[in-house]
Structure formats: C-alpha cells, structure tokens
Amino acid sequence: MKSEYLSEYDNIVRTMQLYIDGCKQGKSELMRPAFHPNASFFGYAGEQLAIGTQFLFDWIDKNGPAPNIEPRIVSVDILDSIAVVRLEVAEWSGKLAGSGVRMSDLFTLLKTPGGWKIIQKAFHWHAAEQRLAA
Amino acid sequence: MPERNTPQKTLESWKQIAAYLDRSERTVRRWEATEGLPVHRHEHERQDTVFAYRHEIEAWSRLRTASPNPSSVDGADTDNLPAPTPIVNKYLVEHDAITRTMHRYIAGARAGDSDLMRSAFHPSATISGYCLGVEYTGSVEHVFQWIDENGPAPNINPRFARIEIIESIAVVHLEVQHWSGKLAGANARASDVFTLLKRNGEWKITHKLFHWHDQ
C-alpha cells in the first residue's frame, strides 16, 4: 500500500505529465485538464510580458510538436493542500521556440475535489538571455 | 538611551532602534514595513516586543540602496543614511530585493492595513487556497479586503522557509504562526507560497497560494 505522501506525490506528477504531453505534442487540449479554471500564467517571452493561460495555450498550439523536449522535475514540495513543482525543460523546439532552448518553470498547485490542479505557471525563458548576450 | 557607539549588542525597543539610526520611530517602523529593516520580535502572551541586532542594522544600512524613496512622508526627517557600499554580489541583490517585497506583505498583515502591502503585488496578481473547506480563487483584492477586515495581527512572526530564484522568477514559502484578528481567530497558522516576477528591476508578487491549517 502506498503512503499518503507517495500517493499525493504521484497524483501531482500525473498532473504535470498532462502538461508535458501537451508540450510534446503541441496540443493545448491535452494540458488543459491539468489547469485550474482560474489558473494564471506569468513570465517574459523575450521583451514581452506574457499573462494568462490563454497566451500559454495559444503558444503551445502555434508552436506545434516538440517531440525532443527533455523535461526534468527538479523539486516537488507538498504542504497539505498546496504544492510547488519546479520543472526544467531542455531542448525546447518548435515553430515559435526555435531549437535547443531551455525553460525553467515554477508551478504552484492546489488540491481540489477534482484532483491536483495547476493554479499558476511562472516561467523563465532562457533563450531571451542567450539572444541578448549574443 | 544608548548612543550610536554603545557596546550593547541589541536594541530593545522602537525607541532604541530609532535612536541608533538617528531617525524618528515613525521612520524606522516604515523602514521595517517597506525596506526590510531587520527587526525581531519577542513573543509574549498579549503583545510582542521588538528588538534588533546592531550588526544586522549595520549590515542593512550598508546594503540599503541609494535610490530615493518617493513615498517618504516624514518631511524633514529624510532618509539619508551614510552612503551605502555598492553591492557586488548579484545573488544577494536579488535575494534582498525579494525579502524587501515580502516584508511589505508582512507589515500589512501585521498592521491589518492593506495599503502597506499593495505595492508588493503585481496589478494582475491572484490568490488561491482553501479555508475551512471553501475554495478561494480570484483577484488579489480578496487578500486586501481580508487583511483590512481582519485588523491588526501584532503577534505574527513569519519565517522564510524557502526562497528560490530562477533569473526573472522566484518562489517564496512563508510560514506564518500566531495569526490573530477578527477573521483569523486566535493563534492560527498559515503556510503561504508566493510566486514573484522581476519586472523593471523590481520583484512583484504575482500569486499567493495559501494553506490555512485547521485548528
């Protein structure tokens, strides 16, 4: 029998996997169930401040498949009904992403009656720095 | 009252802290609220008393940025401290900027005055979490309303359980014990996870996620 911690951990990772699947296939519909209806999204895409999950979903659909991304879960911290997940994604590719770029994500999740849902994704897009440095 | 060169290592009241910095009590209280002046609290049954370590106050003075504070309300009691030493450690600059932002939130929570914490938040910030089985999600305005209705919570003494910085984003886990007030009840505990975004060189809270521990 799994401990309560392990079962919460695995449920969180399953939610994250929906996000990762959506990224890989370039289909926002795959990741939408992972997000809370009131989820928010924040970060800089180059100079532009990107706000709102609709921006994210549109971006994923327009970017298209990114089959070679290398996602790694860096940390999962669970505090009763809330959790923080840090995800590092290397080798981002696609129509908008370009190739071989890196994204650092901080997800906060809320445990709802319908399971663990992403309530916010904050991202840092390392490509912007590389471009600025070049 | 101790002079600036007193050998005493701690300052035991707002009066002593103010005298040490040669400013009014009002100014040093505001510095705690808005600029992270390191003030500690002894926890007592009824109301906490404050104290500060001289070496921390000295370090804060050195690190404090030279940028003028546009919200200064003290008039003649200007904010001019001895010229700060330029900070060279990039990590410390970001870490201290984040704790300064968080101290605005803490000061507002302690005073029950949302005006003290508004500048810590991004205009589009949101909040979510459960309180007594009821889900709260929505605009940060809900936080401000709650703080104002709750009123002062003088005994909270939050701890930074985690500060993680990734270039332009950060996550802060704050543990707050001894919450009190009209809405909080007495001696409640909250675990808060804040996400912050660095915008034009300033860190702003974009999301507050909370877990309110059942008593």
Side-chain angles (χ1 to χ4, degrees), chain A residues 31-123:
Chain A
M31 65 171 69
R32 283 173 197 256
F35 285 83
H36 189 284
N38 293 338
S40 59
F41 171 78
F42 265 98
Y44 281 94
E47 295 290 298
Q48 187 193 0
L49 179 63
I51 300 183
T53 49
Q54 197 54 52
F55 183 102
L56 168 68
F57 297 149
D58 289 346
W59 190 92
I60 291 291
D61 290 331
K62 283 184 200 151
N63 188 57
N68 299 325
I69 57 168
E70 292 282 359
R72 298 287 188 276
I73 290 176
V74 176
S75 65
V76 176
D77 289 290
I78 309 171
L79 297 159
D80 289 275
S81 66
I82 62 179
V84 185
V85 173
R86 179 173 168 185
L87 187 73
E88 283 286 329
V89 184
E91 302 302 324
W92 256 108
S93 59
K95 283 184 205 135
L96 302 181
S99 65
V101 291
R102 173 186 160 208
M103 174 114 79
S104 299
D105 287 319
L106 285 168
F107 292 89
T108 47
L109 293 91
L110 182 65
K111 190 182 175 185
T112 75
W116 285 95
K117 300 286 179 187
I118 297 166
I119 192 78
Q120 194 193 40
K121 168 181 149 105
F123 70 95

Side-chain angles (χ1 to χ4, degrees), chain A residues 36 38 40 42-44 49 51 74-75 77 79-86 88 102 104-106 108-113 119-120 122-126 129, chain B residues 122 124-126 128-130 135-138 162 164-171 173 175 191-193 195-200 206-207 209-213:
Chain A
H36 189 284
N38 293 338
S40 59
F42 265 98
Y44 281 94
L49 179 63
I51 300 183
V74 176
S75 65
D77 289 290
L79 297 159
D80 289 275
S81 66
I82 62 179
V84 185
V85 173
R86 179 173 168 185
E88 283 286 329
R102 173 186 160 208
S104 299
D105 287 319
L106 285 168
T108 47
L109 293 91
L110 182 65
K111 190 182 175 185
T112 75
I119 192 78
Q120 194 193 40
F123 70 95
H124 181 83
W125 186 246
H126 294 269
E129 286 159 22
Chain B
H122 188 278
S124 305
T126 50
S128 51
Y130 282 87
E135 184 186 308
Y136 288 88
T137 57
R162 174 190 193 187
E164 184 172 350
I165 309 169
I166 311 172
E167 306 286 344
S168 64
I169 58 176
V171 64
H173 169 194
E175 279 291 321
S191 299
D192 288 325
V193 171
T195 318
L196 292 90
L197 177 73
K198 189 179 167 187
R199 199 164 170 249
N200 305 324
T206 63
H207 187 72
L209 178 62
F210 67 89
H211 179 82
W212 195 254
H213 295 265

Side-chain angles (χ1 to χ4, degrees), chain B residues 65-156:
Chain B
T65 59
S67 63
N69 182 352
S71 65
S72 176
V73 289
D74 264 26
D77 188 7
T78 56
D79 290 344
N80 297 324
L81 279 171
T85 314
I87 311 171
V88 288
N89 185 301
K90 194 166 166 265
Y91 174 78
L92 287 184
V93 172
E94 302 300 347
H95 186 106
D96 292 348
I98 287 169
T99 53
R100 267 200 299 278
T101 295
M102 293 309 306
H103 276 293
R104 290 182 207 165
Y105 168 79
I106 294 166
R110 188 175 280 136
D113 182 353
S114 66
D115 285 345
L116 292 175
M117 64 169 66
R118 279 177 189 265
S119 65
F121 288 87
H122 188 278
S124 305
T126 50
I127 177 181
S128 51
Y130 282 87
C131 186
L132 300 172
V134 180
E135 184 186 308
Y136 288 88
T137 57
S139 153
V140 70
E141 287 297 327
H142 292 285
V143 179
F144 300 149
Q145 282 166 19
W146 191 94
I147 290 291
D148 289 334
E149 278 175 44
N150 188 58
N155 297 331
I156 58 168

